[in-house]
Amino acid sequence: MQKTVTLWSFLALFFCAAFFPIAWMFGSSLYEGGSFSFVYYHDIFLTGKYAGIILRSLILASVATVFATLMGVPAGFFLAKTDFFLKNFFKVCFFIPLIIPSYTIGIAWTNILGKAGFLNQFLSHYFFLSPQSIYAFIYSIYGAAFILSMNLFPLIMIMTEYALKNIPSPLEESGLVCGTFFQVMKGVTFPLISPVIFSGMMIAFVFSLSEFGVPSLLQLNVLTTQIFTQFSAFYNEKAATALAFPLIIITIVIFLLEQFKTRSKSFEILGRSGSQVFMKYHFAWLRVSGLVFCTVLFLITIILPFCSLLISVEAFKVYRDAFALAKNGIVNSVVFGGIGASILTVVGFFLGYATEKTRWKLKEGISSFVWIFFAVPATVAGIGLIKLWNRPHGAFQFIYGTIGIILIGYIIRFAPLSSRIMANFFRQMPQSIEDAGAVTGASWFRIAGNILAPLQKHGIVATWIISFIFCIGELGATILVYPPGHETLPITLFTVMANSPENIVSALTLLLIGMTLLPVGIFFLISKYVFSQKITP
């Protein structure tokens, strides 16, 4: 009884925090002049008024997904199937673009390919390209897709590497007896991992479609930026809500397509973990290819962006000026991120348990319902919060005018992620351990506190760190709902980009990147120390 009440309470909390604001927002958009109306949806679906915006959004997401796949799949293959110089170094470094906010990569590349960018000058001088055409590229849909792909390729890389390590070696070895390396790749290896690659591509597509920071930075008129413009510039929240509807529909279609596609494939050939023996290729040409590919990828995704930011800053005094400008935002980011990560860890713990360890018939449906909210665009979540919580009196206004509204935004945006992380950790825990606690007559609260939480301490720490990183970099929802005096560092960075010198913007970007990477480094150090300790009976 304790378990059932507790788990359903957290599910109800998530439902109220995430689903209710969005449902309220769409419900209010169906009324105009006191009567039921589809006028805003008529403009979207029955006229060509927004066809160009929707098409640009789909092109952006499609091209970004293709770019991310072309980078992520080869990187995952080389990391899994070959042993080349600095492989582990590259593997760790390739996580950095996934961790830091995508718009920080965008700021770096606008410095590189801008009118005064050093790569712009190099390409225009030696490759006979006009500086204006290079500048126009980075501020186009394809430039935005290029930037987003650098942020998303590690996701596809990780999924590809994991899938390749789970192919039993006899399958590929027997293939090499009958054919060449390329025939084995075409006929055995890639058909086996194609469902995993497809799932990664679908996730990358949804993330690109719902991205706000990069299109806003590059001034692209896509669905997410148009939603923000309709709401913040024209104060037309109903039109903004109606524009969000295609995003939600596309996300649901992609989710259902991914479910259908993967369920129609057999995963029995793939193991549940990477512990089994898998085949590595020791061809010299393959090791050289891996080293060259990963080196080029490392230069494009990490060295060039970071060097451009460091070069732009020039002097230490700029950091001091940037810190003075954003001191309040830095403090707020750390405080809000810490509180938000703690709440998300608790919520994720119970939601992850509910979607993985219970025997409910609706368990898979609940898991899908929770996870789909991670693809809800940040601007949509922000508008939903405003529509529901912006009331002139009572408890609603008390929450709306405080940090509470930001924390609710974090729950909407990132509770699906924290619950999925914890669910993956719970999946590795045998049910017999919990059953043993129940046999002794312990209550479920004691089991959760004395057995589940200690056993999942690494999962809890990982969930907190990842939640903190996402909270630190959150922009799309927070910029719509933050009360005066509660701006975070991403909001400060967003507001000063138009009017501040490039060196100040670069310094603020580096500060944000440092705040994002620092907890990750601390986590790895702590994990290394903990795992190095011998377990004594």
Short mmCIF file of all heavy atoms in Angstrom, two decimals, residues 338-401:
data_model
loop_
_atom_site.label_atom_id
_atom_site.label_comp_id
_atom_site.label_asym_id
_atom_site.label_seq_id
_atom_site.Cartn_x
_atom_site.Cartn_y
_atom_site.Cartn_z
N GLY A 338 21.03 23.52 -8.62
CA GLY A 338 21.19 22.56 -7.53
C GLY A 338 19.86 22.11 -6.95
O GLY A 338 19.63 20.91 -6.74
N ILE A 339 18.97 23.08 -6.71
CA ILE A 339 17.65 22.73 -6.18
C ILE A 339 16.86 21.91 -7.20
O ILE A 339 16.24 20.89 -6.88
CB ILE A 339 16.87 23.99 -5.79
CG1 ILE A 339 17.60 24.75 -4.67
CG2 ILE A 339 15.45 23.64 -5.33
CD1 ILE A 339 16.99 26.09 -4.33
N GLY A 340 16.89 22.36 -8.46
CA GLY A 340 16.16 21.65 -9.50
C GLY A 340 16.68 20.24 -9.69
O GLY A 340 15.89 19.29 -9.85
N ALA A 341 18.01 20.06 -9.67
CA ALA A 341 18.59 18.72 -9.83
C ALA A 341 18.19 17.81 -8.68
O ALA A 341 17.94 16.61 -8.88
CB ALA A 341 20.11 18.82 -9.94
N SER A 342 18.13 18.36 -7.47
CA SER A 342 17.73 17.55 -6.31
C SER A 342 16.28 17.10 -6.44
O SER A 342 15.95 15.93 -6.18
CB SER A 342 17.91 18.36 -5.02
OG SER A 342 19.26 18.76 -4.86
N ILE A 343 15.39 18.02 -6.85
CA ILE A 343 13.99 17.65 -7.04
C ILE A 343 13.86 16.61 -8.16
O ILE A 343 13.13 15.62 -8.03
CB ILE A 343 13.16 18.90 -7.36
CG1 ILE A 343 13.14 19.85 -6.15
CG2 ILE A 343 11.73 18.52 -7.76
CD1 ILE A 343 12.48 21.18 -6.44
N LEU A 344 14.57 16.84 -9.27
CA LEU A 344 14.50 15.92 -10.40
C LEU A 344 15.03 14.54 -10.03
O LEU A 344 14.52 13.53 -10.53
CB LEU A 344 15.29 16.49 -11.58
CG LEU A 344 14.67 17.68 -12.29
CD1 LEU A 344 15.67 18.33 -13.23
CD2 LEU A 344 13.42 17.25 -13.07
N THR A 345 16.02 14.47 -9.17
CA THR A 345 16.57 13.18 -8.75
C THR A 345 15.55 12.40 -7.94
O THR A 345 15.37 11.19 -8.14
CB THR A 345 17.85 13.38 -7.94
OG1 THR A 345 18.81 14.09 -8.73
CG2 THR A 345 18.44 12.05 -7.52
N VAL A 346 14.86 13.09 -7.03
CA VAL A 346 13.84 12.43 -6.22
C VAL A 346 12.68 11.97 -7.11
O VAL A 346 12.23 10.82 -7.03
CB VAL A 346 13.34 13.36 -5.10
CG1 VAL A 346 12.17 12.72 -4.35
CG2 VAL A 346 14.46 13.70 -4.14
N VAL A 347 12.20 12.87 -7.96
CA VAL A 347 11.10 12.52 -8.86
C VAL A 347 11.52 11.40 -9.80
O VAL A 347 10.78 10.44 -10.03
CB VAL A 347 10.64 13.77 -9.65
CG1 VAL A 347 9.61 13.38 -10.71
CG2 VAL A 347 10.06 14.82 -8.71
N GLY A 348 12.74 11.51 -10.35
CA GLY A 348 13.23 10.48 -11.26
C GLY A 348 13.39 9.13 -10.60
O GLY A 348 13.15 8.09 -11.22
N PHE A 349 13.78 9.12 -9.32
CA PHE A 349 13.94 7.87 -8.58
C PHE A 349 12.62 7.11 -8.54
O PHE A 349 12.56 5.91 -8.86
CB PHE A 349 14.43 8.17 -7.16
CG PHE A 349 14.66 6.97 -6.31
CD1 PHE A 349 15.90 6.34 -6.28
CD2 PHE A 349 13.64 6.45 -5.52
CE1 PHE A 349 16.11 5.22 -5.49
CE2 PHE A 349 13.84 5.33 -4.72
CZ PHE A 349 15.09 4.71 -4.71
N PHE A 350 11.55 7.78 -8.16
CA PHE A 350 10.26 7.10 -8.01
C PHE A 350 9.59 6.83 -9.35
O PHE A 350 8.98 5.78 -9.54
CB PHE A 350 9.35 7.91 -7.09
CG PHE A 350 9.80 7.90 -5.65
CD1 PHE A 350 10.44 9.00 -5.10
CD2 PHE A 350 9.59 6.80 -4.85
CE1 PHE A 350 10.86 8.99 -3.78
CE2 PHE A 350 10.01 6.77 -3.53
CZ PHE A 350 10.66 7.87 -2.99
N LEU A 351 9.72 7.78 -10.30
CA LEU A 351 9.15 7.51 -11.63
C LEU A 351 9.91 6.38 -12.32
O LEU A 351 9.30 5.54 -13.00
CB LEU A 351 9.19 8.78 -12.48
CG LEU A 351 8.25 9.92 -12.11
CD1 LEU A 351 8.34 11.04 -13.13
CD2 LEU A 351 6.79 9.44 -12.02
N GLY A 352 11.24 6.38 -12.18
CA GLY A 352 12.03 5.30 -12.78
C GLY A 352 11.67 3.95 -12.19
O GLY A 352 11.58 2.94 -12.91
N TYR A 353 11.46 3.91 -10.88
CA TYR A 353 11.05 2.66 -10.23
C TYR A 353 9.67 2.23 -10.75
O TYR A 353 9.45 1.06 -11.05
CB TYR A 353 11.02 2.84 -8.72
CG TYR A 353 10.63 1.59 -7.97
CD1 TYR A 353 11.61 0.72 -7.51
CD2 TYR A 353 9.29 1.26 -7.74
CE1 TYR A 353 11.27 -0.45 -6.84
CE2 TYR A 353 8.94 0.10 -7.07
CZ TYR A 353 9.93 -0.75 -6.62
OH TYR A 353 9.59 -1.90 -5.96
N ALA A 354 8.75 3.18 -10.87
CA ALA A 354 7.39 2.86 -11.31
C ALA A 354 7.37 2.31 -12.72
O ALA A 354 6.57 1.41 -13.04
CB ALA A 354 6.50 4.10 -11.21
N THR A 355 8.24 2.81 -13.59
CA THR A 355 8.22 2.39 -14.99
C THR A 355 9.10 1.17 -15.26
O THR A 355 9.07 0.64 -16.37
CB THR A 355 8.68 3.54 -15.90
OG1 THR A 355 9.98 3.98 -15.49
CG2 THR A 355 7.72 4.70 -15.83
N GLU A 356 9.87 0.72 -14.26
CA GLU A 356 10.77 -0.40 -14.50
C GLU A 356 10.54 -1.58 -13.57
O GLU A 356 10.61 -2.73 -13.99
CB GLU A 356 12.23 0.08 -14.35
CG GLU A 356 13.26 -0.98 -14.63
CD GLU A 356 13.17 -1.53 -16.04
OE1 GLU A 356 12.86 -0.75 -16.97
OE2 GLU A 356 13.37 -2.75 -16.22
N LYS A 357 10.26 -1.35 -12.27
CA LYS A 357 10.25 -2.43 -11.30
C LYS A 357 8.85 -2.87 -10.85
O LYS A 357 8.73 -3.84 -10.13
CB LYS A 357 11.07 -2.03 -10.05
CG LYS A 357 12.50 -1.63 -10.35
CD LYS A 357 13.28 -2.76 -11.01
CE LYS A 357 13.58 -3.89 -10.03
NZ LYS A 357 14.43 -4.92 -10.66
N THR A 358 7.83 -2.14 -11.24
CA THR A 358 6.49 -2.54 -10.85
C THR A 358 5.94 -3.59 -11.82
O THR A 358 6.50 -3.81 -12.90
CB THR A 358 5.53 -1.33 -10.82
OG1 THR A 358 5.47 -0.75 -12.13
CG2 THR A 358 6.01 -0.29 -9.82
N ARG A 359 4.83 -4.21 -11.43
CA ARG A 359 4.19 -5.21 -12.28
C ARG A 359 2.85 -4.69 -12.81
O ARG A 359 1.95 -5.46 -13.13
CB ARG A 359 3.96 -6.51 -11.49
CG ARG A 359 5.26 -7.17 -11.04
CD ARG A 359 4.99 -8.50 -10.33
NE ARG A 359 6.21 -9.20 -9.97
CZ ARG A 359 6.86 -9.05 -8.83
NH1 ARG A 359 6.37 -8.20 -7.90
NH2 ARG A 359 7.97 -9.72 -8.58
N TRP A 360 2.74 -3.38 -12.93
CA TRP A 360 1.49 -2.79 -13.42
C TRP A 360 1.30 -3.12 -14.90
O TRP A 360 2.26 -3.14 -15.68
CB TRP A 360 1.52 -1.27 -13.24
CG TRP A 360 1.62 -0.83 -11.81
CD1 TRP A 360 1.39 -1.57 -10.69
CD2 TRP A 360 2.00 0.47 -11.34
NE1 TRP A 360 1.58 -0.83 -9.56
CE2 TRP A 360 1.96 0.43 -9.93
CE3 TRP A 360 2.36 1.66 -11.97
CZ2 TRP A 360 2.26 1.54 -9.14
CZ3 TRP A 360 2.67 2.76 -11.20
CH2 TRP A 360 2.61 2.70 -9.80
N LYS A 361 0.06 -3.32 -15.28
CA LYS A 361 -0.25 -3.59 -16.68
C LYS A 361 0.00 -2.36 -17.55
O LYS A 361 0.33 -2.48 -18.74
CB LYS A 361 -1.71 -4.03 -16.82
CG LYS A 361 -2.01 -5.38 -16.17
CD LYS A 361 -3.47 -5.77 -16.37
CE LYS A 361 -3.76 -7.13 -15.75
NZ LYS A 361 -5.17 -7.53 -15.93
N LEU A 362 -0.15 -1.17 -16.98
CA LEU A 362 0.02 0.07 -17.74
C LEU A 362 1.45 0.60 -17.67
O LEU A 362 1.70 1.75 -18.02
CB LEU A 362 -0.95 1.14 -17.21
CG LEU A 362 -2.44 0.84 -17.34
CD1 LEU A 362 -3.25 1.95 -16.69
CD2 LEU A 362 -2.83 0.70 -18.81
N LYS A 363 2.38 -0.22 -17.22
CA LYS A 363 3.74 0.24 -17.01
C LYS A 363 4.37 0.80 -18.29
O LYS A 363 4.95 1.89 -18.29
CB LYS A 363 4.59 -0.91 -16.46
CG LYS A 363 6.03 -0.51 -16.15
CD LYS A 363 6.78 -1.65 -15.49
CE LYS A 363 6.98 -2.82 -16.42
NZ LYS A 363 7.84 -3.86 -15.83
N GLU A 364 4.26 0.09 -19.40
CA GLU A 364 4.85 0.56 -20.65
C GLU A 364 4.17 1.82 -21.16
O GLU A 364 4.83 2.72 -21.68
CB GLU A 364 4.78 -0.54 -21.71
CG GLU A 364 5.69 -1.73 -21.42
CD GLU A 364 5.72 -2.70 -22.57
OE1 GLU A 364 5.11 -2.40 -23.62
OE2 GLU A 364 6.36 -3.76 -22.43
N GLY A 365 2.85 1.89 -20.99
CA GLY A 365 2.15 3.10 -21.39
C GLY A 365 2.57 4.31 -20.57
O GLY A 365 2.73 5.42 -21.11
N ILE A 366 2.75 4.12 -19.27
CA ILE A 366 3.20 5.21 -18.40
C ILE A 366 4.60 5.65 -18.80
O ILE A 366 4.90 6.84 -18.86
CB ILE A 366 3.16 4.77 -16.92
CG1 ILE A 366 1.71 4.55 -16.48
CG2 ILE A 366 3.84 5.81 -16.04
CD1 ILE A 366 1.59 3.95 -15.09
N SER A 367 5.47 4.69 -19.09
CA SER A 367 6.84 5.01 -19.51
C SER A 367 6.84 5.84 -20.79
O SER A 367 7.56 6.83 -20.90
CB SER A 367 7.63 3.72 -19.72
OG SER A 367 8.93 4.00 -20.18
N SER A 368 6.03 5.45 -21.77
CA SER A 368 5.95 6.21 -23.02
C SER A 368 5.36 7.60 -22.78
O SER A 368 5.82 8.59 -23.36
CB SER A 368 5.09 5.45 -24.04
OG SER A 368 5.65 4.18 -24.32
N PHE A 369 4.34 7.69 -21.92
CA PHE A 369 3.71 8.98 -21.62
C PHE A 369 4.71 9.93 -20.98
O PHE A 369 4.78 11.11 -21.33
CB PHE A 369 2.52 8.76 -20.69
CG PHE A 369 1.89 10.03 -20.17
CD1 PHE A 369 1.02 10.75 -20.96
CD2 PHE A 369 2.18 10.50 -18.89
CE1 PHE A 369 0.45 11.93 -20.49
CE2 PHE A 369 1.61 11.66 -18.42
CZ PHE A 369 0.74 12.37 -19.22
N VAL A 370 5.51 9.43 -20.04
CA VAL A 370 6.49 10.28 -19.37
C VAL A 370 7.58 10.70 -20.33
O VAL A 370 7.97 11.88 -20.39
CB VAL A 370 7.09 9.54 -18.16
CG1 VAL A 370 8.26 10.33 -17.56
CG2 VAL A 370 6.02 9.32 -17.09
N TRP A 371 8.10 9.77 -21.13
CA TRP A 371 9.25 10.05 -21.98
C TRP A 371 8.93 11.04 -23.09
O TRP A 371 9.78 11.83 -23.49
CB TRP A 371 9.78 8.74 -22.56
CG TRP A 371 10.95 8.90 -23.48
CD1 TRP A 371 11.03 8.57 -24.79
CD2 TRP A 371 12.25 9.42 -23.13
NE1 TRP A 371 12.28 8.84 -25.29
CE2 TRP A 371 13.04 9.37 -24.29
CE3 TRP A 371 12.79 9.93 -21.95
CZ2 TRP A 371 14.36 9.82 -24.32
CZ3 TRP A 371 14.11 10.38 -21.97
CH2 TRP A 371 14.88 10.31 -23.13
N ILE A 372 7.70 11.03 -23.59
CA ILE A 372 7.37 11.88 -24.72
C ILE A 372 7.44 13.36 -24.35
O ILE A 372 7.63 14.23 -25.21
CB ILE A 372 5.98 11.53 -25.28
CG1 ILE A 372 5.84 12.03 -26.72
CG2 ILE A 372 4.87 12.09 -24.41
CD1 ILE A 372 4.59 11.52 -27.41
N PHE A 373 7.35 13.69 -23.06
CA PHE A 373 7.41 15.09 -22.65
C PHE A 373 8.82 15.66 -22.77
O PHE A 373 8.99 16.87 -22.77
CB PHE A 373 6.91 15.25 -21.20
CG PHE A 373 5.42 15.30 -21.10
CD1 PHE A 373 4.68 14.14 -20.93
CD2 PHE A 373 4.74 16.50 -21.20
CE1 PHE A 373 3.31 14.17 -20.84
CE2 PHE A 373 3.36 16.55 -21.12
CZ PHE A 373 2.64 15.39 -20.93
N PHE A 374 9.82 14.79 -22.88
CA PHE A 374 11.17 15.30 -23.07
C PHE A 374 11.33 15.97 -24.43
O PHE A 374 12.22 16.79 -24.62
CB PHE A 374 12.18 14.15 -22.92
CG PHE A 374 13.61 14.62 -22.86
CD1 PHE A 374 14.01 15.57 -21.95
CD2 PHE A 374 14.56 14.09 -23.72
CE1 PHE A 374 15.33 16.00 -21.89
CE2 PHE A 374 15.88 14.50 -23.67
CZ PHE A 374 16.27 15.46 -22.75
N ALA A 375 10.46 15.61 -25.38
CA ALA A 375 10.52 16.19 -26.72
C ALA A 375 9.64 17.43 -26.86
O ALA A 375 9.63 18.05 -27.92
CB ALA A 375 10.11 15.15 -27.76
N VAL A 376 8.91 17.80 -25.81
CA VAL A 376 8.09 19.01 -25.88
C VAL A 376 9.01 20.22 -25.94
O VAL A 376 9.90 20.37 -25.09
CB VAL A 376 7.16 19.12 -24.66
CG1 VAL A 376 6.45 20.46 -24.63
CG2 VAL A 376 6.15 17.98 -24.68
N PRO A 377 8.88 21.10 -26.94
CA PRO A 377 9.76 22.26 -27.04
C PRO A 377 9.72 23.12 -25.79
O PRO A 377 8.68 23.26 -25.14
CB PRO A 377 9.20 23.03 -28.25
CG PRO A 377 8.48 21.99 -29.06
CD PRO A 377 7.92 21.02 -28.05
N ALA A 378 10.85 23.70 -25.45
CA ALA A 378 10.95 24.50 -24.23
C ALA A 378 10.00 25.70 -24.27
O ALA A 378 9.41 26.06 -23.25
CB ALA A 378 12.39 24.97 -24.05
N THR A 379 9.86 26.31 -25.44
CA THR A 379 8.97 27.46 -25.54
C THR A 379 7.51 27.07 -25.28
O THR A 379 6.75 27.84 -24.70
CB THR A 379 9.09 28.11 -26.93
OG1 THR A 379 9.02 27.09 -27.94
CG2 THR A 379 10.41 28.83 -27.07
N VAL A 380 7.14 25.87 -25.72
CA VAL A 380 5.78 25.38 -25.47
C VAL A 380 5.57 25.19 -23.97
O VAL A 380 4.53 25.58 -23.41
CB VAL A 380 5.53 24.06 -26.23
CG1 VAL A 380 4.16 23.49 -25.88
CG2 VAL A 380 5.65 24.29 -27.72
N ALA A 381 6.56 24.59 -23.30
CA ALA A 381 6.46 24.40 -21.85
C ALA A 381 6.34 25.74 -21.13
O ALA A 381 5.55 25.90 -20.19
CB ALA A 381 7.67 23.63 -21.34
N GLY A 382 7.11 26.74 -21.58
CA GLY A 382 7.06 28.06 -20.95
C GLY A 382 5.71 28.72 -21.10
O GLY A 382 5.17 29.30 -20.14
N ILE A 383 5.13 28.66 -22.28
CA ILE A 383 3.81 29.26 -22.50
C ILE A 383 2.75 28.55 -21.67
O ILE A 383 1.85 29.18 -21.10
CB ILE A 383 3.46 29.22 -24.00
CG1 ILE A 383 4.41 30.11 -24.80
CG2 ILE A 383 2.01 29.67 -24.22
CD1 ILE A 383 4.25 29.99 -26.30
N GLY A 384 2.86 27.22 -21.59
CA GLY A 384 1.91 26.47 -20.77
C GLY A 384 1.97 26.89 -19.31
O GLY A 384 0.93 27.02 -18.64
N LEU A 385 3.16 27.11 -18.80
CA LEU A 385 3.31 27.56 -17.41
C LEU A 385 2.69 28.93 -17.21
O LEU A 385 2.03 29.20 -16.19
CB LEU A 385 4.79 27.60 -17.04
CG LEU A 385 5.48 26.24 -16.87
CD1 LEU A 385 6.98 26.43 -16.68
CD2 LEU A 385 4.88 25.49 -15.69
N ILE A 386 2.88 29.82 -18.16
CA ILE A 386 2.31 31.17 -18.04
C ILE A 386 0.79 31.12 -18.06
O ILE A 386 0.11 31.77 -17.25
CB ILE A 386 2.84 32.07 -19.16
CG1 ILE A 386 4.35 32.32 -18.97
CG2 ILE A 386 2.10 33.40 -19.20
CD1 ILE A 386 5.00 33.04 -20.12
N LYS A 387 0.25 30.33 -18.98
CA LYS A 387 -1.22 30.26 -19.10
C LYS A 387 -1.86 29.70 -17.84
O LYS A 387 -2.94 30.13 -17.44
CB LYS A 387 -1.59 29.39 -20.30
CG LYS A 387 -1.28 30.01 -21.65
CD LYS A 387 -2.09 31.27 -21.90
CE LYS A 387 -3.56 30.96 -22.02
NZ LYS A 387 -4.37 32.16 -22.27
N LEU A 388 -1.20 28.74 -17.20
CA LEU A 388 -1.79 28.11 -16.03
C LEU A 388 -1.52 28.89 -14.75
O LEU A 388 -2.42 29.07 -13.92
CB LEU A 388 -1.27 26.68 -15.89
CG LEU A 388 -1.79 25.90 -14.68
CD1 LEU A 388 -3.30 25.71 -14.76
CD2 LEU A 388 -1.10 24.54 -14.57
N TRP A 389 -0.29 29.37 -14.55
CA TRP A 389 0.12 29.89 -13.25
C TRP A 389 0.06 31.41 -13.14
O TRP A 389 0.14 31.94 -12.02
CB TRP A 389 1.55 29.43 -12.94
CG TRP A 389 1.66 27.97 -12.68
CD1 TRP A 389 2.02 27.01 -13.57
CD2 TRP A 389 1.37 27.29 -11.45
NE1 TRP A 389 1.98 25.77 -12.99
CE2 TRP A 389 1.59 25.92 -11.67
CE3 TRP A 389 0.96 27.72 -10.19
CZ2 TRP A 389 1.42 24.97 -10.68
CZ3 TRP A 389 0.79 26.77 -9.20
CH2 TRP A 389 1.01 25.42 -9.45
N ASN A 390 -0.06 32.11 -14.24
CA ASN A 390 -0.05 33.58 -14.17
C ASN A 390 -1.44 34.09 -13.76
O ASN A 390 -2.24 34.51 -14.59
CB ASN A 390 0.36 34.17 -15.52
CG ASN A 390 0.56 35.68 -15.43
OD1 ASN A 390 0.67 36.26 -14.34
ND2 ASN A 390 0.62 36.33 -16.58
N ARG A 391 -1.70 34.05 -12.47
CA ARG A 391 -2.97 34.51 -11.90
C ARG A 391 -2.67 35.68 -10.97
O ARG A 391 -1.64 35.71 -10.29
CB ARG A 391 -3.65 33.40 -11.10
CG ARG A 391 -3.84 32.12 -11.86
CD ARG A 391 -4.78 32.26 -13.03
NE ARG A 391 -4.92 31.02 -13.77
CZ ARG A 391 -5.43 30.93 -14.98
NH1 ARG A 391 -5.83 32.02 -15.60
NH2 ARG A 391 -5.51 29.77 -15.60
N PRO A 392 -3.57 36.66 -10.90
CA PRO A 392 -3.26 37.87 -10.12
C PRO A 392 -3.24 37.68 -8.62
O PRO A 392 -2.62 38.46 -7.91
CB PRO A 392 -4.39 38.84 -10.53
CG PRO A 392 -5.50 37.96 -10.98
CD PRO A 392 -4.87 36.76 -11.59
N HIS A 393 -3.90 36.65 -8.09
CA HIS A 393 -4.00 36.53 -6.64
C HIS A 393 -3.78 35.08 -6.22
O HIS A 393 -3.85 34.15 -7.02
CB HIS A 393 -5.38 37.00 -6.15
CG HIS A 393 -5.72 38.39 -6.57
ND1 HIS A 393 -5.08 39.51 -6.09
CD2 HIS A 393 -6.64 38.85 -7.48
CE1 HIS A 393 -5.59 40.59 -6.65
NE2 HIS A 393 -6.54 40.21 -7.50
N GLY A 394 -3.57 34.91 -4.92
CA GLY A 394 -3.52 33.58 -4.32
C GLY A 394 -2.21 32.86 -4.51
O GLY A 394 -1.18 33.44 -4.87
N ALA A 395 -2.27 31.55 -4.26
CA ALA A 395 -1.07 30.72 -4.29
C ALA A 395 -0.46 30.66 -5.68
O ALA A 395 0.76 30.52 -5.82
CB ALA A 395 -1.40 29.32 -3.80
N PHE A 396 -1.30 30.79 -6.72
CA PHE A 396 -0.77 30.74 -8.07
C PHE A 396 0.24 31.86 -8.29
O PHE A 396 1.33 31.64 -8.81
CB PHE A 396 -1.91 30.85 -9.09
CG PHE A 396 -2.65 29.57 -9.32
CD1 PHE A 396 -3.67 29.17 -8.47
CD2 PHE A 396 -2.31 28.74 -10.37
CE1 PHE A 396 -4.35 27.99 -8.68
CE2 PHE A 396 -2.97 27.55 -10.59
CZ PHE A 396 -4.01 27.18 -9.74
N GLN A 397 -0.11 33.08 -7.89
CA GLN A 397 0.79 34.20 -8.08
C GLN A 397 2.02 34.08 -7.19
O GLN A 397 3.11 34.50 -7.56
CB GLN A 397 0.07 35.53 -7.79
CG GLN A 397 0.89 36.77 -8.11
CD GLN A 397 1.33 36.83 -9.56
OE1 GLN A 397 0.63 36.35 -10.45
NE2 GLN A 397 2.49 37.40 -9.81
N PHE A 398 1.85 33.48 -6.02
CA PHE A 398 3.00 33.28 -5.13
C PHE A 398 4.04 32.38 -5.80
O PHE A 398 5.24 32.62 -5.71
CB PHE A 398 2.54 32.66 -3.81
CG PHE A 398 3.67 32.27 -2.90
CD1 PHE A 398 4.37 33.22 -2.17
CD2 PHE A 398 4.04 30.93 -2.79
CE1 PHE A 398 5.41 32.85 -1.36
CE2 PHE A 398 5.08 30.56 -1.98
CZ PHE A 398 5.77 31.52 -1.25
N ILE A 399 3.57 31.34 -6.48
CA ILE A 399 4.50 30.46 -7.18
C ILE A 399 5.04 31.12 -8.43
O ILE A 399 6.24 31.04 -8.73
CB ILE A 399 3.80 29.13 -7.52
CG1 ILE A 399 3.46 28.38 -6.22
CG2 ILE A 399 4.65 28.27 -8.44
CD1 ILE A 399 2.68 27.11 -6.45
N TYR A 400 4.17 31.81 -9.18
CA TYR A 400 4.57 32.40 -10.45
C TYR A 400 5.62 33.50 -10.27
O TYR A 400 6.46 33.71 -11.14
CB TYR A 400 3.36 32.97 -11.19
CG TYR A 400 3.68 33.46 -12.57
CD1 TYR A 400 3.86 32.55 -13.61
CD2 TYR A 400 3.81 34.82 -12.85
CE1 TYR A 400 4.15 32.99 -14.90
CE2 TYR A 400 4.11 35.26 -14.13
CZ TYR A 400 4.29 34.35 -15.14
OH TYR A 400 4.60 34.78 -16.40
N GLY A 401 5.59 34.18 -9.17
CA GLY A 401 6.52 35.28 -8.94
C GLY A 401 7.78 34.88 -8.21
O GLY A 401 8.54 35.76 -7.77
#
